[in-house]
């Protein structure tokens, strides 16, 4: 019997970002840092704010951009949650536009996916550190928006 995992929507992170800083070039590689200056978290499983001070390091080799963001979230109950979010962005002609209900979660022609991992000792949020997540990411109004789903 074959079974595929289900994805369940948990929350959406809207990280406000500043202008990227160029770090360097290698052979066919470009490295940049993009500061995260704030934002919000909203959804059925988590609500809070994105704290300023984190950032996203990106390495672009050819058409593929590898991302690694590290920042903090303060939940509405005051708990601080650490997030490391790794992923990829690249253009793929065959990639379809995707929706979650009426909300467009991915543009046609782009692959922008992440794998967020959380750490916290707050009892109400320990489930974050024991759950695998998949993020569908998009750019929207000066924010990087990541719609987070649990893998069930």
């Amino acid at each position: 019997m074959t079974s595929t995992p289900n994805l369940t929507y948990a929350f959406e992170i809207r990280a406000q970002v500043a202008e990227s800083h160029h770090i360097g070039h290698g052979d066919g590689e470009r490295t940049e840092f993009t500061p995260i200056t704030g934002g919000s978290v909203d959804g059925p499983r988590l609500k809070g704010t994105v704290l300023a001070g984190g950032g996203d390091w990106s390495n672009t080799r050819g058409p593929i951009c590898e991302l690694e963001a590290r920042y903090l979230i303060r939940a509405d109950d005051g708990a601080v949650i650490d997030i490391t979010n790794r992923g990829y962005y690249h253009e793929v002609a065959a990639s379809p536009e995707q929706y979650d209900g009426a909300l467009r979660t991915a543009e046609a022609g782009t692959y922008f996916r992440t794998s967020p991992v959380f750490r916290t000792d707050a009892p109400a949020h320990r489930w974050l550190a024991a759950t695998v997540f998949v993020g569908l990411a998009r750019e929207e109004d000066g924010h990087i928006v990541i719609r987070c789903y649990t893998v069930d």
Side-chain angles (χ1 to χ4, degrees), residues 90-98 106-113:
H90 55 91
E91 295 179 2
V92 179
S95 182
E97 195 166 57
Q98 291 183 306
E107 293 182 45
T110 62
Y111 182 91
F112 195 178
R113 306 287 185 271

Side-chain angles (χ1 to χ4, degrees), residues 67-151:
L67 309 161
E68 182 173 348
R70 180 101 187 244
Y71 50 100
L72 299 173
I73 294 169
R74 183 179 309 279
D76 279 356
D77 64 3
V80 175
I81 302 162
D82 176 51
I83 177 174
T84 301
N85 203 354
R86 293 185 174 107
Y88 293 94
Y89 173 88
H90 55 91
E91 295 179 2
V92 179
S95 182
E97 195 166 57
Q98 291 183 306
Y99 288 85
D100 186 348
L103 177 68
R104 187 182 72 181
T105 57
E107 293 182 45
T110 62
Y111 182 91
F112 195 178
R113 306 287 185 271
T114 69
S115 299
V117 176
F118 301 89
R119 292 187 308 173
T120 184
D121 65 357
H125 304 291
R126 290 287 302 158
W127 68 275
L128 290 163
T131 304
V132 173
F133 289 85
V134 172
L136 297 181
R138 64 190 189 278
E139 292 184 51
E140 187 176 283
D141 300 326
H143 293 78
I144 300 299
V145 182
I146 305 163
R147 194 160 178 88
C148 296
Y149 298 84
T150 61
V151 179

Side-chain angles (χ1 to χ4, degrees), residues 2-3 11-12 33 40-41 54 93 98 116 120 124 131 148 150-151:
T2 304
S3 175
F11 50 87
E12 191 166 85
F33 173 76
S40 62
V41 180
Q98 291 183 306
T120 184
T131 304
C148 296
T150 61
V151 179

